[in-house]
Amino acid sequence: MRIRFSVLALVTLFGTLAQAQSSNEFFAMDTAMVKKFGASLLSADVDLVAALGYRGVAPIANDPATWQFVTQELIPMLDRNHLRLYAVYSGARADHDTMSVDSGIRQNLPALEGRGTIIWLPITSRDFKPSDPAGDAMAVAAVRDVADAAAQFGLSVSLYPHYGNLIERVEDAVRIVKKAGRPNVGVTFNLCHWLRTDGSQSLSAVLRLAMPHLSLVTINGADRNGKDWGQLIQPLDRGDFDLGGLLAELRRLGYHGPIGLQGYGVAEHLGTEPAENLRRSMAAWRKIASTSPRL
């Protein structure tokens, strides 16, 4: 009897085997899947990440329309492809004596129940400069608001340090997590935002600080001394930053959680189409994951 394999089946098989070599599940942020930031994912986009071996996706949902897309269209696409919805990026703001949270978070939590989806929470401010501890009280109030709502559905929150935001640095996120005092709140390490705010010299110290709370990591190819997103967000096979060293350090510290591919602006800044970025980055991930020590 002759067994026939489709190209799609073979690609999916190799992707699954590559993931098995790594203790960290690798997923794609929607920024790596679309050519223009904010564009909705198509069924073909989801089919491609599944075929390449990514374990799931993490989209942005910051208004009623994008939340509706995630819950009514994207989730069925993921389910058909046996992919996870790792996180949904949706924000909060902390100002003098007030805070606000994207109303879509609370409204759509029931649709995420049972999926293990993390609410990816960046916190901005009109009144406070980045990393200003004066904004901590309102930031903590926002985090507790989201965390308490998420806990009702068995879900968690991860603070997303973002260049230019109130929570800009990993240190800010850890400080807020401790003050918030909610067990379902963690922090994210974003390679590109860390490089832009801190440079490349403090990696071990930052990861050690984050480790007790680290729930998500995002990576991409990058130049160690890059100054803009075109240098700091590249396909995973480009740039001189030592991604193998980063993964080895994460494993040494005991991080076995998900790692996401960041792809913001790759098409615009580098002329690299999303499909090409996804293919090249998965090939690079397989190499990195297979050569980094598994402790």
Side-chain angles (χ1 to χ4, degrees):
M1 181 176 65
R2 181 175 297 174
I3 299 175
R4 296 180 179 178
F5 289 97
S6 68
V7 173
L8 177 62
L10 287 172
V11 171
T12 303
L13 174 62
F14 290 137
T16 301
L17 292 174
Q19 290 281 13
Q21 295 177 341
S22 170
S23 58
N24 304 101
E25 295 180 358
F26 193 44
F27 67 92
M29 297 173 66
D30 65 351
T31 56
M33 299 171 65
V34 296
K35 188 169 184 177
K36 183 178 180 181
F37 179 69
S40 294
L41 299 177
L42 303 176
S43 180
D45 301 323
V46 176
D47 292 344
L48 177 61
V49 298
L52 291 173
Y54 292 88
R55 291 293 187 89
V57 306
I60 296 169
N62 52 14
D63 57 43
T66 50
W67 268 110
Q68 183 178 29
F69 169 77
V70 167
T71 59
Q72 297 187 17
E73 298 183 50
L74 180 58
I75 285 177
M77 291 182 204
L78 296 175
D79 288 349
R80 285 195 297 270
N81 284 279
H82 308 289
L83 298 176
R84 282 187 57 189
L85 181 64
Y86 278 92
V88 180
Y89 180 101
S90 193
R93 195 175 76 234
D95 295 321
H96 286 306
D97 302 320
T98 186
M99 65 82 178
S100 61
V101 173
D102 176 17
S103 61
I105 294 175
R106 187 178 291 272
Q107 293 169 5
N108 290 280
L109 287 172
L112 306 180
E113 186 173 14
R115 294 184 172 274
T117 302
I118 294 174
I119 301 300
W120 231 347
L121 194 69
I123 299 184
T124 61
S125 180
R126 293 176 181 173
D127 296 336
F128 301 110
K129 293 181 180 180
S131 300
D132 187 351
D136 283 7
M138 288 298 103
V140 166
V143 170
R144 287 174 174 169
D145 182 83
V146 177
D148 292 346
Q152 297 178 40
F153 299 93
L155 300 171
S156 62
V157 179
S158 189
L159 302 188
Y160 189 103
H162 188 296
Y163 174 75
N165 281 5
L166 177 61
I167 295 183
E168 182 179 52
R169 306 171 70 235
V170 170
E171 291 85 344
D172 304 327
V174 171
R175 185 178 72 248
I176 297 300
V177 165
K178 291 179 176 179
K179 290 184 176 182
R182 296 296 190 268
N184 64 330
V185 180
V187 303
T188 296
F189 174 79
N190 298 302
L191 175 62
C192 63
H193 292 289
W194 169 72
L195 284 171
R196 188 149 189 179
T197 56
D198 287 11
S200 60
Q201 303 305 313
S202 60
L203 181 63
S204 293
V206 167
L207 293 180
R208 285 197 303 270
L209 177 69
M211 192 62 222
H213 315 282
L214 191 61
S215 53
L216 285 171
V217 171
T218 69
I219 62 172
N220 47 262
D223 293 332
R224 287 176 298 169
N225 298 313
K227 303 300 181 184
D228 57 37
W229 296 133
Q231 297 170 320
L232 295 173
I233 304 177
Q234 304 179 46
L236 213 60
D237 60 357
R238 284 187 49 165
D240 61 9
F241 183 83
D242 181 11
L243 290 167
L246 169 60
L247 185 56
E249 183 68 7
L250 285 167
R251 289 176 174 173
R252 186 185 71 80
L253 292 172
Y255 179 73
H256 301 294
I259 297 178
L261 175 67
Q262 168 67 266
Y264 173 79
V266 167
E268 176 186 355
H269 299 137
L270 303 176
T272 305
E273 293 294 317
E276 180 186 355
N277 182 21
L278 289 166
R279 284 193 292 267
R280 287 169 50 184
S281 294
M282 177 53 79
W285 169 257
R286 291 172 183 161
K287 182 177 179 180
I288 295 166
S290 65
T291 56
S292 295
R294 294 185 293 277
L295 303 176

